[in-house]
Amino acid sequence: MKTSQKIIVVSCTCLLVIVSVGCAAAARKLYTAKAEKRAAKEAAQNIEKEIQELEKEVEELEKEQAQREAEGKKEVITEKQPQAKGKKIAIDPGHQGPNVDMSDLEPMGPGSQEMKAKASSGTQGRYTNVPEYELTLNISKQLRLELEQRGYEVVLTREDHDTAISNSERALMAAEEGADIYVRIHANGSEDPLAKGAMTMVPSAENPYVGALHPKSYALGEAVINAYCQECGMENDGVQLYDNMTGINWSQIPVIILEMGYMTNEQDDVNMQDPEYEKKMVRGIANGIDQYFAAGN
């Protein structure tokens, strides 16, 4: 074989070796890449599996929590029933429709020489334009249903806007119906649009007509206003003493007026017309009544 031929053979051999080595390296890289891809896929599948297992655990925990909450509610209801049994609540939806003329006067209290109008239509929402007499009847009817579901007997002093019944007649009706407490539902008003919040009004111990009702009325007013404001987030203006309210002075049983909020304040006014917020208002009043009786009153 000639020298030139030998050189060609050697060159080809070397080239084949180089190509073979390159192919082997490329094959190894491809194999490694595929292996890494499989490993990544398996890792992703494992992570997805772990996530699914965690989701199942969370779902189970949520079910257990919901069950515990449901059982807790059942226990609360069970606890409330004994104190509600045999108790009767009189609710007075404050004021009257403007179609009823209640401008005639009646004594502010038994034997009083001071006279006041028998009833009025109350204030009105400055922002919603809803009159107070409509708001109070709406909340009172919802409250009746809530209290009945808790085991109480309930009587309303009015069921519509046009039945003529004075403040003294309402108070006397509450006693005649055999109610244990008398809860008057009202809303407040002010020239100051920034005035807001809720309060309860009760007779003082020095009230010349119903001073003896002060201790239990105060206990009721305190329980209701605290529970009400806690439930619905209303500003708490506490229990205040009033001796010039006909509907209080003619009462024969523990009595309060709940001023649910200011209809002249934008936030209070709008809140009191929100159906979801009204549910909180009603629950808060009912919770306060529960607490009043639970304390042994």
Side-chain angles (χ1 to χ4, degrees):
M1 183 180 292
K2 295 181 179 181
T3 301
S4 60
Q5 291 175 331
K6 288 181 179 180
I7 291 172
I8 292 171
V9 169
V10 170
S11 298
C12 290
T13 302
C14 291
L15 183 60
L16 288 171
V17 170
I18 291 170
V19 171
S20 298
V21 171
C23 289
R28 283 196 298 274
K29 286 183 179 180
L30 180 60
Y31 177 81
T32 302
K34 287 183 177 180
E36 289 176 351
K37 185 177 180 180
R38 282 196 301 271
K41 186 176 181 180
E42 289 176 359
Q45 289 174 341
N46 289 336
I47 291 173
E48 185 177 357
K49 186 177 180 180
E50 290 178 3
I51 291 173
Q52 290 174 347
E53 290 176 351
L54 287 171
E55 287 176 343
K56 287 182 180 179
E57 290 181 12
V58 170
E59 186 177 351
E60 290 298 322
L61 288 172
E62 288 176 345
K63 286 181 180 178
E64 291 177 5
Q65 179 65 21
Q67 185 175 357
R68 283 195 295 269
E69 289 177 355
E71 290 174 353
K73 288 179 181 178
K74 288 180 181 178
E75 290 176 1
V76 170
I77 291 173
T78 301
E79 290 174 359
K80 289 176 180 176
Q81 291 304 322
Q83 68 195 39
K85 187 177 181 180
K87 299 296 185 182
K88 193 169 188 177
I89 317 299
I91 302 172
D92 175 36
H95 299 289
Q96 205 114 30
N99 294 330
V100 184
D101 182 9
M102 298 295 287
S103 59
D104 286 346
L105 303 180
E106 64 181 356
M108 188 176 68
S112 174
Q113 298 302 310
E114 185 173 350
M115 308 294 283
K116 296 185 70 173
K118 289 185 174 182
S120 68
S121 58
T123 187
Q124 179 173 320
R126 181 174 292 173
Y127 302 89
T128 64
N129 293 319
V130 175
E132 182 181 358
Y133 67 86
E134 286 187 6
L135 171 64
T136 59
L137 185 59
N138 173 28
I139 296 299
S140 294
K141 286 183 175 181
Q142 292 186 55
L143 179 58
R144 173 172 60 184
L145 180 59
E146 177 71 20
L147 290 172
E148 287 176 343
Q149 290 174 344
R150 298 188 185 204
Y152 294 98
E153 290 185 65
V154 181
V155 58
L156 263 61
T157 60
R158 69 178 177 95
E159 298 273 359
D160 56 49
H161 304 311
D162 299 321
T163 301
I165 179 170
S166 74
N167 287 319
S168 66
E169 290 170 337
R170 298 176 193 221
L172 294 174
M173 176 193 293
E176 290 167 0
E177 290 286 344
D180 294 279
I181 58 174
Y182 182 37
V183 179
R184 306 184 63 205
I185 303 298
H186 284 252
N188 225 331
S190 173
E191 293 297 324
D192 180 6
L194 298 180
K196 63 179 181 177
M199 67 177 182
T200 48
M201 302 161 67
V202 304
S204 73
E206 291 74 34
N207 185 297
Y209 312 106
V210 290
L213 296 178
H214 169 76
K216 288 195 173 183
S217 296
Y218 191 94
L220 176 61
E222 187 173 43
V224 168
I225 195 60
N226 289 341
Y228 176 81
C229 292
Q230 181 179 1
E231 180 68 28
C232 64
M234 187 78 72
E235 181 178 308
N236 190 339
D237 291 335
V239 185
Q240 301 189 23
L241 305 179
Y242 278 80
D243 291 336
N244 61 344
M245 297 293 178
T246 306
I248 286 179
N249 295 340
W250 281 89
S251 185
Q252 298 175 6
I253 56 179
V255 55
I256 67 169
I257 295 175
L258 170 63
E259 295 284 1
M260 300 182 293
Y262 281 82
M263 300 191 79
T264 47
N265 175 270
E266 183 172 8
Q267 181 179 349
D268 284 3
D269 186 23
V270 172
N271 281 344
M272 290 189 292
Q273 295 305 319
D274 181 282
E276 291 304 313
Y277 193 87
E278 288 177 351
K279 291 177 183 177
K280 295 180 181 180
M281 294 164 64
V282 168
R283 282 197 303 268
I285 301 169
N287 290 345
I289 291 172
D290 279 343
Q291 292 166 19
Y292 170 79
F293 288 117
N297 294 296

